[in-house]
Amino acid sequence: MSDAEREVAHGFRAFISAADWVDLATSGVRRAFRPGDLLCRQGDSGDYVYVLLAGAVKVVRSEAVGGRTVLTVRSAGDLIGDIAAVDGGQRSASVSALTALTCRLLRGPDFRLFLERREVATGFARYTFRRLRESDSQRTELAVLPVLDRVARALVRLHDAAAIERGRTTIFLPQQDLAEFVGASRNAVVLALGVLRAERFIDTGRRRITILEAEGLRRRANG
């Protein structure tokens, strides 16, 4: 893959060759999901992997004592279920479609066979480390940033994950889910959304947030 292609590629796709990605993205069977559809449930032992081709998903972990957390958002180029397929463990979180979603569904043995390619295995390791770095960055934000900044950064991530083209992006996400994503109360998130709406970066409605001016929101999120 050329440097120019790597600049626009996302997720696992950015760490393997164009030819390997084509092989992966045409393997298995094609699946399509609507917003809110469940891909996999926490605790399941399904031996399969989703290769995301278009759209975005949210990854949610629930605790036995109650409560849940939106861990992250994944989008086109990413993998879902890859760790469980490699280590044989149970699903560590539930995953549902955040937008209309197109993907390929691969059996675990087929995915593991794909990882036997040396360059693919190296790319998969780098992709896994990148996700760990992203998780560390998000945990730092939760610890040090005010709620308004956390909400702005979360909306930028959601926009980048869900956007099909430049311009407005509508995200079908309840405010409670956004609150769980940024580690704040729903009331604090409502206030932050009101500020961003007054600044005309976003518009809100029932269970949806529309990004009106993504680049302005990005500048706002970066302080």
Side-chain angles (χ1 to χ4, degrees):
M1 184 180 296
S2 70
D3 291 341
E5 289 174 320
R6 286 185 185 278
E7 287 181 2
V8 298
H10 172 83
F12 186 43
R13 183 179 182 180
F15 293 98
I16 60 177
S17 71
D20 285 330
W21 173 255
V22 169
D23 285 349
L24 183 63
T26 54
S27 299
V29 295
R30 183 182 183 277
R31 294 292 304 274
F33 295 91
R34 296 173 298 179
D37 285 351
L38 188 69
L39 280 73
C40 56
R41 193 182 306 275
Q42 181 177 332
D44 285 353
S45 57
D47 191 18
Y48 54 89
V49 176
Y50 290 103
V51 182
L52 305 187
L53 303 180
V57 300
K58 63 179 179 181
V59 182
V60 180
R61 180 172 176 83
S62 301
E63 299 299 335
V65 295
R68 64 173 206 157
T69 302
V70 180
L71 298 178
T72 192
V73 172
R74 298 295 178 202
S75 57
D78 274 315
L79 304 175
I80 295 295
D82 49 302
I83 299 301
V86 170
D87 70 8
Q90 295 181 327
R91 306 293 190 194
S92 60
S94 296
V95 180
S96 58
L98 190 59
T99 68
L101 184 71
T102 304
C103 56
R104 305 292 294 193
L105 179 63
L106 274 70
R107 297 186 312 119
D110 294 333
F111 180 70
R112 291 189 289 273
L113 181 62
F114 181 70
L115 289 184
E116 290 182 5
R117 303 181 189 185
R118 181 163 49 179
E119 291 187 359
V120 169
T122 300
F124 182 69
R126 294 176 61 201
Y127 170 59
T128 302
F129 291 143
R130 171 65 62 85
R131 288 188 293 187
L132 290 174
R133 287 181 181 273
E134 290 174 353
S135 296
D136 288 343
S137 177
Q138 290 181 25
R139 281 195 294 270
T140 300
E141 290 176 9
L142 293 179
V144 304
L145 291 182
V147 173
L148 179 57
D149 291 351
R150 298 195 323 247
V151 169
R153 291 193 181 192
L155 292 178
V156 168
R157 288 193 182 100
L158 291 166
H159 164 78
D160 290 346
I164 298 175
E165 57 187 15
R166 299 180 66 86
R168 297 187 177 190
T169 301
T170 297
I171 302 157
F172 296 94
L173 185 72
Q175 291 176 350
Q176 182 59 42
D177 282 10
L178 180 59
E180 292 167 356
F181 191 25
V182 302
S185 70
R186 184 178 182 278
N187 287 343
V189 167
V190 169
L191 291 174
L193 291 174
V195 172
L196 298 175
R197 188 169 54 243
E199 294 175 346
R200 299 186 178 180
F201 293 133
I202 67 169
D203 186 29
T204 58
R206 180 173 174 78
R207 301 176 67 87
R208 61 101 179 150
I209 301 169
T210 299
I211 311 296
L212 302 176
E213 217 280 273
E215 293 311 310
L217 181 63
R218 194 183 307 277
R219 290 191 295 270
R220 181 72 161 83
N222 291 331

